Amino acid sequence: MSSQIPPVLAEVVRSGFVEGHHRGALVLLNPDGSVDRALGEVTSPVYPRSSSKPMQAAAVLRSGLELSGARLALAAASHAGEGFHQELVATMLAEHGLTEDRLGCPEDLPVDQEAREAQLVSGRGRTRIAMNCSGKHTSMLAACAARGWPLDSYLDPRHPLQLLIRESVESATGEPVAHTGTDGCGAPLLAYSLTGLARAFRTFVLAAEGTPERRVADAMRAHPEYVAGTRLEDTWLMRAVPGALSKAGAEGVQAVALADGRALAFKIDDGNARARGPVLAAALRGAGVESEVLSRIAHAPLLGGGRPVGEVRAVF
């Protein structure tokens, strides 16, 4: 890893006073896959977290499981736990003869504030279906059931499905997995570079029709509300920018590919998600994207007493 201080990607401004910075690394690829711009260390491994989900979904298709439409989008999702998300997860479990207790992800509340409050008011509390990775886990279990692979050990890195996912990641990123950890949802977490992450998203949007990669990309772009939620940036971006493929990850990670093969990936070093929107909007503007949605994505106010007193803004 580089010992250099990462560049400042965003600053925190409160009442006109700069009170802090968000540092990180960012890479932007040209349509031909060459590096157009690199800020910070973009070739050392990081944990891309949920930005890896499109590759995991492609591996599920390679296993032989037949998914399409909203179901395939949900397999690649970090869903917000809104009612339609939870209903489709429950439906998918039932379609494959599975029950919620089979899910290896932890019980959780919805990410979406309105959905979370509604679930608490209803008295339901935390559930595995509400957890934002439940769509991914459901598709993994369904793939194992279809192939006759063990269900109880489906999250073991040595499981046939997880080995297939590793192959999918290495093929799409063009580099070997550097390390395997454990994600917050309990699934194996594969480390590779931000350049590899951007390269993978470029691979997905440029893949030939009918391939697992293209099928995942097309499903996500056709059903972006199932990838994220009605009030999340990935959904807004894929609805507003034709051909864009977007997926956030925990700890301040983001990857986006555009229809012509331009792609970007970045990570905020301190993991604070509040800088992600401003940095994403600035990076896309730098890539030549013109859309009103970028102002919405960049909006990251700081509140004091319930009213805006500052903002997080990109500075690179």
Side-chain angles (χ1 to χ4, degrees):
M1 296 292 288
S2 172
S3 60
Q4 296 180 348
I5 298 175
V8 175
L9 298 185
E11 62 184 13
V12 183
V13 182
R14 189 183 300 272
S15 302
F17 176 73
V18 178
E19 66 172 4
H21 299 104
H22 289 290
R23 298 181 181 274
L26 180 150
V27 62
L28 173 66
L29 302 183
N30 290 309
D32 64 2
S34 61
V35 175
D36 175 76
R37 187 177 191 184
L39 299 175
E41 179 52 72
V42 298
T43 59
S44 295
V46 299
Y47 284 129
R49 303 296 298 270
S50 287
S51 293
S52 292
K53 284 180 177 174
M55 287 168 272
Q56 293 170 324
V60 164
L61 292 180
R62 280 209 167 82
S63 76
L65 182 68
E66 190 54 47
L67 287 177
S68 61
R71 286 166 172 76
L72 183 52
L74 195 61
S78 297
H79 67 74
E82 295 173 72
F84 64 93
H85 295 129
Q86 297 194 47
E87 289 169 7
L88 186 54
V89 172
T91 297
M92 289 172 65
L93 285 169
E95 287 173 344
H96 295 281
L98 301 165
T99 55
E100 182 177 353
D101 63 338
R102 283 287 195 175
L103 295 173
C105 57
E107 295 180 344
D108 207 349
L109 292 170
V111 172
D112 182 81
Q113 182 175 341
E114 291 185 18
R116 181 167 62 251
E117 291 173 353
Q119 187 149 325
L120 290 171
V121 168
S122 73
R124 290 178 59 207
R126 297 175 183 272
T127 65
R128 287 184 172 85
I129 285 179
M131 200 270 169
N132 73 93
C133 298
S134 64
K136 175 183 79 174
H137 281 257
T138 296
S139 70
M140 287 181 176
L141 277 171
C144 293
R147 286 294 300 267
W149 289 337
L151 299 182
D152 292 341
S153 60
Y154 80 97
L155 297 180
D156 188 318
R158 296 163 296 182
H159 189 281
L161 177 63
Q162 299 303 333
L163 294 177
L164 195 58
I165 288 172
R166 186 185 183 100
E167 292 177 10
S168 177
V169 167
E170 292 184 336
S171 174
T173 62
E175 62 186 61
V177 168
H179 189 262
T180 302
T182 304
D183 212 339
C185 68
L189 180 61
L190 306 180
Y192 48 92
S193 72
L194 288 173
T195 301
L197 179 58
R199 189 183 298 122
F201 272 61
R202 176 180 178 274
T203 295
F204 271 61
V205 299
L206 296 181
E209 289 189 18
T211 60
E213 290 78 12
R214 181 61 177 274
R215 289 175 60 191
V216 171
D218 287 349
M220 291 173 67
R221 292 181 290 190
H223 304 276
E225 68 279 5
Y226 282 92
V227 176
T230 55
R231 287 171 279 272
L232 290 175
E233 289 88 347
D234 283 333
T235 299
W236 303 342
L237 181 61
M238 287 190 281
R239 281 178 174 170
V241 179
L245 179 68
S246 179
K247 185 70 193 70
E251 303 296 329
V253 177
Q254 181 74 52
V256 177
L258 302 174
D260 64 358
R262 286 173 292 164
L264 66 89
F266 65 81
K267 179 176 178 8
I268 308 300
D269 273 14
D270 64 10
N272 198 316
R274 69 181 179 180
R276 185 161 50 207
V279 172
L280 174 58
L284 288 171
R285 289 190 178 110
V289 175
E290 297 180 3
S291 174
E292 293 181 0
V293 77
L294 297 186
S295 295
R296 185 182 185 189
I297 290 172
H299 185 58
L302 303 178
L303 303 181
R307 62 183 179 83
V309 296
E311 63 179 351
V312 180
R313 62 192 183 194
V315 294
F316 63 92

